[in-house]
Every structure is written in C-alpha cells, then in structure tokens.
Amino acid sequence: MVTGGGRTRKLVRDAGIFLVLSALAAAVIIPMVWIVGVALKPPGEYFDIPPVWFSSDSNLQHFRNISGFNAGYRALLNSFIVAICATSASMVLGTAAAYGLARLRRRGDVWSIWFLSQRILPPVALVIPVFLLIREIGWIDTYQGLILPYIAINTPFVVWMMRGYFLEIPTAIEESAMTDGCGRWSVLFRVVLPLVVPGLLATGVFVWIYIWSEFLIGLFITQTSASITAAVQLPSFTIANDVLWGEMSAFSLLMATPVLILGLFIQRYFVRGLTLGAVKG
Amino acid sequence: MSSITIQNARKVFGRKEKVVALDDVSIEIEDGEFFVVVGPSGSGKTSLLRIIAGLEQADAGRVYLDEDDVTNRRPRDRDVAMVFQDYALYPQLRVRDNIGFGLKRRKVPKDVIAAKVDELAEMLGLKELLDRRPGQLSGGERQRVALARAIAREPRAFLMDEPLSNLDANLRTATRTELAQLHQRLRTTTVFVTHDQVDAMSLGERVAVMRDGNIEQLDTPSGLYERPVSLFVAAFIGSPPINLVETQVTDGTVTVGEAEVPVPGASLEGRSVIVGVRPADFEDEAFALDPSWPKLPVAVTVRKDLGSDAEVVFAVDAKPVRRDDVSSALAGGEFAEVDLVHGRDVPMFAARINAKSSSRIGHNLQLTIDPGRIYLFDPDSGSLILGPGRPEAAVVTSEA
Ligand SMILES: Nc1ncnc2c1ncn2[C@@H]1O[C@H](COP(=O)(O)OP(=O)(O)OP(=O)(O)O)[C@@H](O)[C@H]1O
Ligand SMILES: [Mg+2]
C-alpha cells in the first residue's frame, strides 16, 4: 500500500513537472513559429481573426524586399564580420589573461573579480563615453569602431569564464609536461588548451551571440550600410507610420538562425561551461 | 642515469608569514641508488623533490646531476622524470600517447617511439590498455601508465612523490614489489618520497628521515631501526611504533611497568631517561629465548592475530611520554595513546609475540623483554643515549 501511494504521488508529481515544462516550452516555441508564419504570409493576413498560423499564400516576397531597406542583407554581413573579429580577439586576449591569472599565486582572485565588474556595468552607462571615444578616434561608422568596444566589453567575461576552466586543471599535469620536455608555451598549446576546448567553445559562442545581438553600441556607432549591423537594422522596418511586419519577421528569422544552430551545436558544453565558470569564478 | 647532489638547499614560502619548507639540506644520492625520503606531513619532502625537478626554485643552495650544475636550468632541460601522487596523466591522450609524450617532445622518430611504447606496455602489463584514455583506467593501471611514461624517456633520474598513496593496501604491496623489481632491472637513480615508513623500509637502499625542513637522519633502513639518532626517528620508524616510558636509572636498572631491565654502564646512574622497547623485542615467556630476561606481567586488552605472529596491546603502569617530537613522528600513525578500556592516563604498549602464544583478551600474560635491545633517550635533547645498534653497551655520554 505504501508503495502504491508512493507511486501515485510520483505520477502526480511527474505530471505536474510535465505541465510546467510544456508551458515553458510553448512560451518559447509559439512566438518563433508565429514569426515563421508572418515572414511567409502576405501582408493582408497578419491580423486575421481567428489567427492563421501558416497562410495558404505563403511566399518569399518579404525576404526579397529586405534588400531594399537600409543596408539590406549587407547588415547581416556586417554583423557577421564584426562578431567574428571581436570574438576572436576577445578569446585570444581573454584566454591568455585567464591562464596567467589562474596560475598566478594568490593575486588572481582579486583581479578576476575586478575583470568581471566591467561586465556588470549597465551598457547604457558605457555607451556615451564609448561613442565619444570612438568619434574622437574617427572610427564612427566603421567596423573597427564596433570591434574595439566589443573586445573591451567581452574580454573580461572571457577571462572570468576561462579562468574557471584553467583552475580545474591540476597543476601536476602541467608540471609533468614540463619535466617531459615542454616549455611554458608548449604546455599551454599541447596540454592545457586541448583540455579546455569545451570551455573555449562555450565561451566563444556566448561572446559571439552577445555581439551578434548587441544593439545599443551599434546604434550609436553605425550610420550607413558601411557598418550597420543586423540588430540595429531590425527595428528600422517601418515606413511613415506603418510597420512592415512581414519583412521584420523575415529578417528576425535570418538573425535568429545562426544563433539557433550554434545553440543546438554546443548545447551540451554550454550548460556545463556556464556552471563551471560560475562555481569556480 | 646520474648521481644527484644537493648542497645547502633552502626554501622559504610566503611573504608575510614565512614557512620554512627546507631549512638547510645537503644530500649526495649515488648513481643508480634507490633513495627514499620519508617524514611526517609538512616536513619538506615534496619541496625537496620539486627543487630537484626544477619545478621550484630554491632560495639558496645548488643542485647537481653528476657534475652538471642544474640549479638554474628549467625542468625540461634537466632530463628527470617525475611520478606524481595522482599520476597527472594527460586526460585527452590515449595511454599510448601518454607514454610516448616525452619522447615525442624530444623529436624521437615515430617508429622508435612505437617500439618503446610496446616494449614498456609488455613489461608493465599495459598491452590491452594502450588505446584507452586515462579516465577509463583503474587507479593501479594509471599508476603503471605513469611509471611507463617516466621510464620511456630513460631520464637521468626518477622522482616519485608518494606514488603509492592512492592505492589500496593490497595493490600497494604489489606495486611496491614491482617498483623494487623495476629498479633492479633498470638501475635508474630514484628518489622516492613517502610518509609511509613501510614504503621507506622496504624500498630504500638509503633513507633520509626529514623533520621540519631538515634531514634528521640518513641511513640504511636497518640503521634507522637499530641506531635512531633521536626519539623522533625511533618513534617514526617501526610499525607498530616503539613503546616509550619516562623513568630514571636506579641501581643499574630502568623500570618498565613491573619489569626491571638492567642497563649497562655505570655513568647513567641516577639519570632521567626515556626508555624505548620495540614491539618485536617483547616475547611471551613461554617462547622466550633466555629464561633470565626481565618479566613483565600484563593484562591483554587487544589481541590481533597476524598469522606469522600476534600483536597484543596492554596498559603499562608508568609515566606516559608526551612530547612534540614523538607526537609529530606519530601523527597519523595507528597508536593507542591512552587506555580507553580502563580510562587511565597510562601508556598503551604493543608487543609482537609468537603466534602460538595462548594469551587472550582480558587475561593476564607474562611477557619478557630482551634487555640487550632496549633504547635509552635523553629526555632533554631527545637524542639516543644507548641502543641495540651499539652492541657491548657502547654508551654515548656526550651530547654530540
Ligand atoms: N606553494 C607553497 N606555498 C606556501 N607554503 C608551501 C608551499 N608548498 C609547501 N609549503 C609549505 O612548506 C612546508 C613543506 O611542504 P612540503 O609539501 O614539502 O611537505 P611534505 O613533506 O611533502 O608534506 P606531505 O607529506 O603533506 O606532502 C609545509 O609547511 C607547507 O605548508
Ligand atoms: Mg608532499
């Protein structure tokens, strides 16, 4: 009887968990499906009552229209170039610094908190000084004008994440490599970095996604199709007092696709990476 | 293979609170020797090893491999191999590549490496494991991979920091034997650090006992056992540890419980001493070699049958010895300091006696003490006054 009662209770509990998770999943998935529908619908059907998920007249017209707005598809390319450059640079700088901090005796703790504090500042507080600085250098509306601040913002985060990973590696492994004939550099490249590949991936993707979707700094620095990023372009699908829901949805979809793919690809490392960094940081 | 010479090595850690890990250590380790460094936790064993490997820079002193002064050389240029306590295998590499790693770093041709790896795998029974990764190995297997990795490079010396301490008792004994055999075969200079005196006694050709950053005594295993220079070494070496009481020499004898043990040499008369009796130097009266040996009647509180002999534990009515040097030597050791059965503050002794002894828990037992094998220590300095290793009552009278 006791086991029977226990089983019933477990069933009820499992059902409860299932319901909550389903609700959460729906909250995430429904808007995405809706965006797909709208991106393909002809304009007249956006607000049909009752709502139609997928119109029978679905077509790719909105995707074609995107080229005519602002920087068009160029914005995606801009975002891509800026994100790749800034991510690579932050990863190299941040990883090197993190390794140093993880292996410095004692002092490392103080420094890594200081590094992280850079990330805690609200972006709005940064954007004006960043804008003034970049204008002073004469980099407004250039890639480097975006890349530089993105490196500055993300490097501390990389340091914090990667330091957690490096601290996980027993120093004995590195010392063993040193007696085995490695210098500092070959210890780093042959022994240490291969061990933190999951961390590098998780951190890199995180940084890349941050830059890909960054809006505020992009808004201040970019002006023309020479540098306008996708995130900045997205809200501009409005003319006079009309919102071009179809084009906007199509563009959102394009913006979201790489993030989704990356997310799925590294999902496994991602959760582990974040928790590790959190515990060890 | 090389000899290792350490001259006046000193290492201090910490900026504000200074910790002297090594005070002033000089050793000459011969080419091909199996040299053991033993001592309680924190005595500086690891620091010494790391200074030899170059993983730690000494604050003062020099390190030589043969005639080469390697004091300022980087670890990679010293050509010594380290075996770490938790093995420190490269987790991402297969066993094969772990073993070959050092050779690969030294640009040895691939086929030579492969042949060497196969040879070592054969020798250490790792053949089936070559394509696994360290995470898929048991503790003992990892240990052997770590050994193989060290051997592969044919270094000038092996440095081993407690390589057996993560193994369970049986595996530990087996690996100890393997290590001894390997050394017989390879004759590579080996410095073996342990805090386990059984490791030290069974493996070392010579053993250095460390205490607080200094070498307290450097001797052969039997030398340490028979001629400990101090109470610290006497208490550290031997299992179960030596039994100690504090007393005075009166009428040419010392009292251990109810036993009156004659002490040779008139110069000791009236002097305060600490008497040490090794567990193996007791015997059940029924098996005593000499009927004239002093008798000690005891009540057995514990009896452990060990097969070849039996260990009995009993309380002795005497003043217990409570000293820093003894307790630091015994820290972590299995040693009953108080009489838990009767709740009295008297020393608990252990004796190794003939397994055929009819003694039983709770019963009385008549023990004898071999008077030629007692140790006397000076209570002030802790140094040895008289011991079995100095036959014919060679009494040390000076404090030297
Ligand atoms: N990196 C370090 N920083 C500060 N103090 C240290 C460091 N390494 C060792 N010490 C101190 O130096 C002393 C000797 O340490 P060491 O590791 O050589 O001892 P050990 O004999 O190997 O001990 P154990 O048996 O516990 O391994 C200890 O008091 C230790 O706390
Ligand atoms: Mg140690």
Side-chain angles (χ1 to χ4, degrees), chain A residues 105 107 170 172-184 186 190-192 194-195, chain B residues 15 50 53 55-56 75-76 80 82 84 86 88-92 101-102 105-106 149 153:
Chain A
R105 295 196 182 145
R107 293 295 162 90
I173 291 183
E174 293 174 45
E175 294 178 337
S176 174
M178 284 196 234
T179 52
D180 263 349
C182 291
R184 265 280 167 209
S186 61
R190 277 168 216 285
V191 177
V192 176
L195 286 176
Chain B
R15 297 216 177 117
R50 291 171 59 84
L55 295 171
E56 209 81 66
R76 60 186 279 201
V80 295
M82 189 103 174
F84 292 84
D86 36 19
L89 299 175
Y90 309 120
Q92 79 276 26
F101 187 86
R105 299 303 315 131
R106 287 184 160 70
R149 182 176 65 178
R153 263 176 40 214

Side-chain angles (χ1 to χ4, degrees), chain B residues 13 19 21 40-47 162 195:
Chain B
F13 286 108
V19 182
S41 190
S43 55
K45 308 179 297 290
T46 299
S47 305
E162 315 217 11
H195 62 253

Side-chain angles (χ1 to χ4, degrees), chain B residues 46 83-88 143 160-166 195:
Chain B
T46 299
V83 179
F84 292 84
Q85 180 172 352
D86 36 19
Y87 320 135
Q143 219 278 340
M160 308 192 180
D161 193 357
E162 315 217 11
L164 303 182
S165 61
N166 284 348
H195 62 253

